[in-house]
């Protein structure tokens, strides 16, 4: 992924230069050390590291999962779920309860409304010491609205999402998926795409310290926020596309990997006969091309899928697509899940990891990367034994 991030930054810089767009990195304010048990005002990396001690597979802080899970179950259809503020006293108490919650303990939600939880969720985002979009790239995200072409706006957002650190990228993905669920219930909750974007933009782009008052937010930040609703609207509307690695970057990464392998081969040739090195890699690729490929299924307990699906990659007339494989595996599943909640990923070989477009023809892809493997992964919220 590091190679992809480097190339994404280069492409983003070129795109911004094309439109004479500049941005500066925000200065990270020093924060006082927090008590280890607190949930607010703590870096995402610290929260995730703490949560992974109990839930090793989680990629998103449990506190955010708890809040979004409660709102999904109780408030998606409630009018003004994000717009109407909760009780000040209950918001303060809920914040204290979450701060004091021990890992794995059950949260008692009975005393709180959906508005209380939504308000605390927004407060949690604002108080992140390192913003969700990071101090280095928050203004870059903000600058996207200055690009006149909508397709290039989405392209720029795609590059920016890929550049983000893993925990920030995964947390943003979780948040955008939750916000898209709210938008889908617009008829019931009166929270359309524009409304959700307007409300969430300040919470994502204008982080504050716990003691900072809204009146003390810099005027320049408020001016910057006027275009943030556009960016948030784009991220919600096209969130499924933003995590796909563009084919241009894939080709560049593969080319760089090929050059590195050739360089290593030349260096190894100094110590052993070149013929052995060439024959070794040729044999690996020939053996791969002469066989069928098993699509490895990373199957969490919630799906109960079979362990593999065979693709006849040597048949040149075969046009098996990523969508076909995912649909078939969904049909075989004991617990039925929508195929839209899953995706096929390419892993290893001459690429680290990327999500495949549903129309990708697998036999053709195999010719480009015969030493890679394919995995089906869940896109729906991960099912862990987390007591909410």
């Amino acid at each position: 992924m590091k190679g992809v991030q480097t190339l994404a930054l280069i492409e983003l810089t070129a795109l911004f230069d094309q439109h004479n767009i500049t941005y500066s990195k925000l200065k990270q304010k020093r924060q006082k050390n927090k008590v280890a048990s607190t949930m607010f005002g703590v870096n995402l990396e610290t929260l995730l590291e703490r949560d992974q001690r109990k839930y090793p597979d989680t990629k998103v802080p449990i506190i955010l999962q708890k809040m979004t899970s409660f709102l999904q179950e109780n408030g998606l259809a409630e009018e003004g779920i994000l717009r109407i503020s909760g009780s000040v006293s209950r918001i303060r108490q809920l914040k204290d309860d979450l701060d004091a919650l021990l890992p794995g303990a059950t949260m008692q939600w009975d005393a709180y409304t959906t508005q209380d939880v939504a308000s605390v969720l927004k407060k949690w985002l604002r108080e992140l010491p390192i913003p969700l979009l990071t101090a280095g790239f928050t203004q870059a995200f903000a600058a996207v609205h200055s690009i006149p072409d909508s397709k290039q706006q989405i392209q720029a957002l795609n590059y920016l999402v890929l550049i983000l650190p893993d925990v920030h990228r995964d947390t943003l993905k979780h948040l955008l998926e939750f916000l898209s669920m709210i938008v889908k219930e617009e008829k019931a909750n009166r929270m359309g795409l524009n409304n959700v974007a307007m409300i969430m933009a300040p919470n994502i782009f204008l982080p504050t310290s716990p003691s900072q008052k809204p009146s003390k937010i810099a005027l320049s930040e408020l001016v910057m926020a006027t275009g943030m609703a556009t960016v948030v609207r784009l991220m919600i509307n096209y969130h499924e596309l933003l995590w796909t690695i563009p084919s241009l970057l894939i080709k560049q990464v593969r080319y760089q990997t090929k050059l590195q392998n050739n360089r290593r081969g030349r260096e190894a040739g100094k110590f052993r006969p070149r013929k052995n090195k060439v024959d070794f890699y040729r044999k690996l690729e020939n053996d791969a091309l002469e066989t069928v490929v098993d699509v490895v299924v990373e199957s969490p307990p919630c799906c109960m899928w079979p362990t593999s699906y065979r693709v006849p990659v040597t048949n040149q007339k075969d046009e098996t697509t990523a969508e076909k494989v995912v649909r078939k595996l969904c049909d075989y599943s004991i617990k039925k899940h929508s195929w839209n909640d899953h995706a096929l990923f390419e892993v290893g070989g001459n690429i680290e990891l990327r999500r495949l477009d549903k129309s990708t023809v697998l036999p053709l892809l195999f010719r480009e990367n015969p030493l890679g493997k394919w995995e089906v992964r869940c896109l729906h919220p991960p099912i862990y034994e987390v007591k909410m």
Side-chain angles (χ1 to χ4, degrees):
M1 190 65 186
K2 186 176 181 180
V4 171
Q5 290 177 320
T6 301
L7 292 171
L9 181 57
I10 293 172
E11 294 295 333
L12 175 70
T13 303
L15 183 58
F16 276 12
D17 287 345
Q18 179 183 342
H19 297 283
N20 297 317
I21 296 174
T22 59
Y23 68 93
S24 58
K25 295 186 177 181
L26 298 175
K27 291 183 178 180
Q28 187 61 49
K29 298 178 180 179
R30 292 185 178 181
Q31 299 286 334
K32 294 181 179 180
N33 292 331
K34 289 278 184 178
V35 179
S37 63
T38 58
M39 299 291 182
F40 291 77
V42 181
N43 291 336
L44 290 176
E45 288 83 357
T46 302
L47 288 172
L48 186 63
E49 181 181 353
R50 186 191 307 160
D51 292 338
Q52 286 180 338
R53 295 170 189 167
K54 186 172 181 63
Y55 307 104
D57 295 329
T58 191
K59 296 181 179 180
V60 177
I62 297 298
I63 181 175
L64 179 61
Q65 294 187 46
K66 287 179 180 288
M67 290 188 287
T68 55
S69 178
F70 172 82
L71 293 172
Q72 287 175 36
E73 295 174 4
N74 300 279
L76 287 183
E78 188 163 340
E79 184 173 346
I81 177 176
L82 295 176
R83 184 180 66 252
I84 301 174
S85 180
S87 163
V88 174
S89 59
R90 289 199 303 268
I91 290 173
R92 187 182 299 112
Q93 184 60 50
L94 176 56
K95 179 178 179 294
D96 292 340
D97 288 349
L98 288 170
D99 263 337
L101 193 66
L102 296 175
T106 302
M107 178 64 196
Q108 300 298 327
W109 301 100
D110 297 344
Y112 304 108
T113 66
T114 54
Q115 288 84 5
D116 297 333
V117 179
S119 297
V120 171
L121 187 153
K122 291 183 287 184
K123 184 178 182 64
W124 179 78
L125 286 171
R126 290 195 304 272
E127 292 186 5
L128 287 174
I130 298 178
L132 178 59
L133 304 180
T134 73
F137 293 103
T138 293
Q139 287 198 0
F141 274 91
V144 168
H145 82 279
S146 299
I147 300 176
D149 182 74
S150 58
K151 290 184 179 179
Q152 289 188 329
Q153 286 180 329
I154 299 170
Q155 187 179 24
L157 288 173
N158 187 192
Y159 292 144
L160 282 164
V161 165
L162 294 176
I163 294 169
L164 290 176
D166 290 349
V167 63
H168 288 259
R169 185 170 58 251
D170 292 334
T171 302
L172 176 62
K173 184 175 186 291
H174 183 93
L175 178 65
L176 293 178
E177 289 174 346
F178 166 67
L179 297 178
S180 70
M181 293 179 189
I182 293 178
V183 173
K184 289 178 182 178
E185 299 293 333
E186 177 183 2
K187 291 183 178 179
N189 60 34
R190 305 292 182 90
M191 294 295 297
L193 180 59
N194 290 334
N195 289 337
V196 172
M198 286 288 292
I199 291 170
M200 292 304 298
N203 299 285
I204 295 174
F205 284 94
L206 298 179
T208 62
S209 65
S211 60
Q212 185 176 3
K213 296 180 180 180
S215 60
K216 292 186 178 181
I217 296 176
L219 178 61
S220 60
E221 292 181 334
L222 292 176
V223 172
M224 182 181 73
T226 58
M228 295 310 93
T230 300
V231 177
V232 175
R233 184 172 67 247
L234 286 171
M235 288 197 293
I236 297 173
N237 204 25
Y238 297 99
H239 72 276
E240 293 181 349
L241 302 177
L242 299 182
W243 278 259
T244 301
I245 302 177
S247 58
L248 173 64
L249 297 188
I250 292 297
K251 290 180 180 179
Q252 293 181 40
V253 170
R254 283 180 171 150
Y255 179 71
Q256 289 183 352
T257 303
K258 184 177 181 180
L259 290 179
Q260 291 175 359
N261 289 337
N262 290 341
R263 189 180 302 115
R264 290 169 185 166
R266 288 195 297 271
E267 292 174 353
K270 298 176 182 178
F271 304 99
R272 61 180 180 177
R274 178 181 176 83
K275 180 179 178 181
N276 293 342
K277 189 75 173 180
V278 173
D279 290 346
F280 173 74
Y281 283 108
R282 183 178 296 163
K283 184 177 186 303
L284 281 180
E285 293 199 0
N286 288 341
D287 289 347
L289 289 170
E290 291 175 358
T291 61
V292 296
V293 170
D294 287 337
V295 178
V296 180
V297 180
E298 190 179 86
S299 177
C302 61
C303 295
M304 297 183 181
W305 282 9
T307 57
S308 65
Y309 178 89
R310 299 177 73 83
V311 179
V313 294
T314 55
N315 184 353
Q316 297 182 356
K317 295 182 179 180
D318 185 81
E319 296 184 351
T320 300
T321 62
E323 177 181 341
K324 178 181 178 181
V325 171
V326 176
R327 282 180 178 273
K328 282 287 185 182
L329 288 168
C330 280
D331 292 340
Y332 296 155
S333 173
I334 297 176
K335 292 188 176 182
K336 299 300 181 182
H337 284 279
S338 169
W339 70 274
N340 286 315
D341 292 336
H342 302 81
L344 192 63
F345 287 77
E346 181 184 12
V347 184
N350 56 27
I351 192 68
E352 292 184 21
L353 173 69
R354 70 151 173 163
R355 176 180 170 181
L356 298 176
D357 185 88
K358 63 181 180 180
S359 61
T360 301
V361 179
L362 298 183
L364 296 179
L365 174 64
F366 180 71
R367 293 285 168 175
E368 295 185 12
N369 188 14
L371 299 182
K373 67 176 182 177
W374 301 323
E375 295 182 359
V376 175
R377 299 187 178 187
C378 292
L379 301 180
H380 55 72
I383 306 299
Y384 304 115
E385 295 182 358
V386 180
K387 297 181 179 180
M388 299 297 181

